[in-house]
Amino acid sequence: AQRVTQPEKLLSVFKGAPVELKCNYSYSGSPELFWYVQYSRQRLQLLLRHISRESIKGFTADLNKGETSFHLKKPFAQEEDSAMYYCALSGFNGGATNKLIFGTGTLLAVQP
Amino acid sequence: GAVVSQHPSWVICKSGTSVKIECRSLDFQATTMFWYRQFPKQSLMLMATSNEGSKATYEQGVEKDKFLINHASLTLSTLTVTSAHPEDSSFYICSARVFGRESTDTQYFGPGTRLTVL
């Protein structure tokens, strides 16, 4: 079964501290993994995807197929990083259309 | 960038009435749109995949006769909640799929519609 697990509902850190938001997945094929972010009162938006191998707003995420993980990391948290973060997996709907399966989300709160 | 709008942003209706929610891609064409439902403090749950010019594909457990989806054009998909009841109260979010480089695709999300059924 396709599943995305984010074990932490809330992660609270101080400004300048390192951040790691955990994401594990279950998928039988070759997955495409994403991190989406939702700032307060804003729409959900794509933060990064594993195939791009980019660093966006200082965040990086590496796909570890052995551990089936796609953890989101940032070395120094900023207050403006406070938001809800969703890990998502792209699976196939009978081979016809990709659909996203979301984790339950982690609320990151960066304290001053 | 790709912008997706939803209308209305919020709606309150009486039990038993029907409510239509629109999802538009403003500056691009989308052959595929998705409809999600989000309960308070919970994740997004995919309800259905809407394909332009064909029937929507519903996820298991989603009543297709209750949640009618129409994708008549490349820029508009509508979700109609028929005979709404209080348990249908939720946040409904749509997204539109865009193909990019390297055969990748990205979903761009609308701002959501808050439905409250009295």
Side-chain angles (χ1 to χ4, degrees), chain A residues 6 26 29 50-51 80 88-89 108 110 112:
Chain A
Q6 292 180 252
S26 173
H50 88 268
I51 62 172
E80 54 265 30
L89 176 150
L108 174 63
V110 182

PDB file of all heavy atoms in Angstrom, chain A residues 6 26 29 50-51 80 88-89 108 110 112:
ATOM      1  N   GLN A   6       4.507  10.968   8.564  1.00  0.00           N
ATOM      2  CA  GLN A   6       5.242  12.052   9.211  1.00  0.00           C
ATOM      3  C   GLN A   6       4.988  11.883  10.707  1.00  0.00           C
ATOM      4  O   GLN A   6       3.898  12.176  11.183  1.00  0.00           O
ATOM      5  CB  GLN A   6       4.744  13.415   8.724  1.00  0.00           C
ATOM      6  CG  GLN A   6       5.068  13.681   7.267  1.00  0.00           C
ATOM      7  CD  GLN A   6       4.569  15.042   6.807  1.00  0.00           C
ATOM      8  OE1 GLN A   6       3.607  15.136   6.045  1.00  0.00           O
ATOM      9  NE2 GLN A   6       5.215  16.094   7.272  1.00  0.00           N
ATOM     10  N   SER A  26       5.973   4.392   1.986  1.00  0.00           N
ATOM     11  CA  SER A  26       5.805   2.999   1.584  1.00  0.00           C
ATOM     12  C   SER A  26       5.262   3.014   0.164  1.00  0.00           C
ATOM     13  O   SER A  26       4.194   3.582  -0.088  1.00  0.00           O
ATOM     14  CB  SER A  26       4.838   2.286   2.536  1.00  0.00           C
ATOM     15  OG  SER A  26       4.540   0.988   2.061  1.00  0.00           O
ATOM     16  N   GLY A  29       6.740   0.783  -6.153  1.00  0.00           N
ATOM     17  CA  GLY A  29       7.482   1.101  -7.371  1.00  0.00           C
ATOM     18  C   GLY A  29       8.574   2.106  -7.114  1.00  0.00           C
ATOM     19  O   GLY A  29       9.163   2.164  -6.035  1.00  0.00           O
ATOM     20  N   HIS A  50      12.277  15.641  -5.011  1.00  0.00           N
ATOM     21  CA  HIS A  50      13.556  14.949  -4.869  1.00  0.00           C
ATOM     22  C   HIS A  50      14.340  14.902  -6.166  1.00  0.00           C
ATOM     23  O   HIS A  50      15.560  14.938  -6.143  1.00  0.00           O
ATOM     24  CB  HIS A  50      13.339  13.538  -4.310  1.00  0.00           C
ATOM     25  CG  HIS A  50      13.077  12.483  -5.348  1.00  0.00           C
ATOM     26  ND1 HIS A  50      11.808  12.144  -5.758  1.00  0.00           N
ATOM     27  CD2 HIS A  50      13.923  11.697  -6.058  1.00  0.00           C
ATOM     28  CE1 HIS A  50      11.880  11.184  -6.656  1.00  0.00           C
ATOM     29  NE2 HIS A  50      13.154  10.895  -6.861  1.00  0.00           N
ATOM     30  N   ILE A  51      13.671  14.878  -7.299  1.00  0.00           N
ATOM     31  CA  ILE A  51      14.399  14.734  -8.548  1.00  0.00           C
ATOM     32  C   ILE A  51      15.125  16.020  -8.928  1.00  0.00           C
ATOM     33  O   ILE A  51      16.052  15.991  -9.727  1.00  0.00           O
ATOM     34  CB  ILE A  51      13.492  14.287  -9.698  1.00  0.00           C
ATOM     35  CG1 ILE A  51      12.397  15.317  -9.964  1.00  0.00           C
ATOM     36  CG2 ILE A  51      12.898  12.930  -9.402  1.00  0.00           C
ATOM     37  CD1 ILE A  51      11.615  15.014 -11.210  1.00  0.00           C
ATOM     38  N   GLU A  80      10.592  32.927   9.841  1.00  0.00           N
ATOM     39  CA  GLU A  80       9.679  32.877   8.701  1.00  0.00           C
ATOM     40  C   GLU A  80       9.501  31.471   8.135  1.00  0.00           C
ATOM     41  O   GLU A  80       8.681  31.258   7.235  1.00  0.00           O
ATOM     42  CB  GLU A  80      10.163  33.812   7.583  1.00  0.00           C
ATOM     43  CG  GLU A  80      11.589  33.585   7.136  1.00  0.00           C
ATOM     44  CD  GLU A  80      12.576  34.501   7.851  1.00  0.00           C
ATOM     45  OE1 GLU A  80      12.327  34.878   9.023  1.00  0.00           O
ATOM     46  OE2 GLU A  80      13.603  34.841   7.237  1.00  0.00           O
ATOM     47  N   ALA A  88       4.837  14.425   0.510  1.00  0.00           N
ATOM     48  CA  ALA A  88       3.880  13.799  -0.412  1.00  0.00           C
ATOM     49  C   ALA A  88       4.597  12.875  -1.373  1.00  0.00           C
ATOM     50  O   ALA A  88       5.759  13.074  -1.722  1.00  0.00           O
ATOM     51  CB  ALA A  88       3.102  14.856  -1.181  1.00  0.00           C
ATOM     52  N   LEU A  89       3.873  11.871  -1.796  1.00  0.00           N
ATOM     53  CA  LEU A  89       4.409  10.864  -2.715  1.00  0.00           C
ATOM     54  C   LEU A  89       3.515  10.823  -3.944  1.00  0.00           C
ATOM     55  O   LEU A  89       2.289  10.901  -3.841  1.00  0.00           O
ATOM     56  CB  LEU A  89       4.422   9.508  -2.009  1.00  0.00           C
ATOM     57  CG  LEU A  89       4.854   8.267  -2.773  1.00  0.00           C
ATOM     58  CD1 LEU A  89       5.485   7.274  -1.799  1.00  0.00           C
ATOM     59  CD2 LEU A  89       3.682   7.585  -3.464  1.00  0.00           C
ATOM     60  N   LEU A 108       5.868  23.262  11.961  1.00  0.00           N
ATOM     61  CA  LEU A 108       7.160  23.764  12.431  1.00  0.00           C
ATOM     62  C   LEU A 108       6.962  25.131  13.055  1.00  0.00           C
ATOM     63  O   LEU A 108       6.436  26.050  12.419  1.00  0.00           O
ATOM     64  CB  LEU A 108       8.153  23.857  11.262  1.00  0.00           C
ATOM     65  CG  LEU A 108       9.503  24.492  11.587  1.00  0.00           C
ATOM     66  CD1 LEU A 108      10.269  23.660  12.614  1.00  0.00           C
ATOM     67  CD2 LEU A 108      10.338  24.684  10.328  1.00  0.00           C
ATOM     68  N   VAL A 110       9.132  28.066  14.813  1.00  0.00           N
ATOM     69  CA  VAL A 110      10.466  28.567  15.103  1.00  0.00           C
ATOM     70  C   VAL A 110      10.342  29.712  16.094  1.00  0.00           C
ATOM     71  O   VAL A 110       9.743  30.753  15.798  1.00  0.00           O
ATOM     72  CB  VAL A 110      11.174  29.034  13.820  1.00  0.00           C
ATOM     73  CG1 VAL A 110      12.591  29.518  14.153  1.00  0.00           C
ATOM     74  CG2 VAL A 110      11.219  27.909  12.799  1.00  0.00           C
ATOM     75  N   PRO A 112      11.675  32.769  18.557  1.00  0.00           N
ATOM     76  CA  PRO A 112      12.732  33.793  18.459  1.00  0.00           C
ATOM     77  C   PRO A 112      13.819  33.610  19.511  1.00  0.00           C
ATOM     78  O   PRO A 112      13.624  32.921  20.505  1.00  0.00           O
ATOM     79  CB  PRO A 112      11.951  35.104  18.688  1.00  0.00           C
ATOM     80  CG  PRO A 112      10.726  34.715  19.416  1.00  0.00           C
ATOM     81  CD  PRO A 112      10.380  33.317  18.966  1.00  0.00           C
TER      82      PRO A 112
END
